[in-house]
Amino acid sequence: MRKIVLLGLVALGLTACAAPPPTVDAEFRVEGTGTAQLTYQFPGSKLPEVVTTQLPVIIERTPEGAGPVTLSVRPASGIVTCRIVVEQKEVAKQTGGNVDCRAELAGTG
């Protein structure tokens, strides 16, 4: 009985340590007020994602591979700022009524 409990604890410990949480390599940050339609795409995705959301918002992803990342923001009203942050460095920023941000990813890991 002791061997079974010990093996169970060892297996549980290995499972808990085996898969660290994924790192976020890229973020889209949109500042403003009200709602906006966001259209964005990361490397590895076949089609752009389109969402209508309340601002401000941050979208985090771990992209698959190298390539362009794009973000278009169409606010219901007012001025917005879009930012693309890659590995904690801002690589694109636009402010205005309708904004488009674009950056190139060199790849992950």
Side-chain angles (χ1 to χ4, degrees):
M1 181 67 167
R2 287 184 193 171
K3 289 181 183 179
I4 293 172
V5 171
L6 181 58
L7 288 175
L9 291 174
V10 169
L12 180 62
L14 289 176
T15 302
C17 295
T23 58
V24 175
D25 296 312
E27 295 179 349
F28 290 145
R29 300 179 184 178
V30 182
E31 301 165 6
T33 58
T35 60
Q37 179 179 327
L38 281 56
T39 304
Y40 58 92
Q41 189 165 9
F42 288 95
S45 60
K46 295 181 194 248
L47 297 172
E49 294 184 53
V50 180
V51 297
T52 299
T53 188
Q54 188 70 34
L55 300 179
V57 66
I58 297 174
I59 299 169
E60 302 174 330
R61 294 286 189 275
T62 301
E64 298 175 16
V69 290
T70 58
L71 169 63
S72 296
V73 183
R74 305 296 178 253
S77 63
I79 302 296
V80 294
T81 298
C82 71
R83 301 172 194 270
I84 298 176
V85 178
V86 178
E87 296 179 354
Q88 301 179 349
K89 293 182 182 176
E90 186 177 283
V91 295
K93 177 182 175 183
Q94 293 290 319
T95 299
N98 292 323
V99 294
D100 299 299
C101 286
R102 177 178 164 69
E104 194 72 26
L105 289 184
T108 58

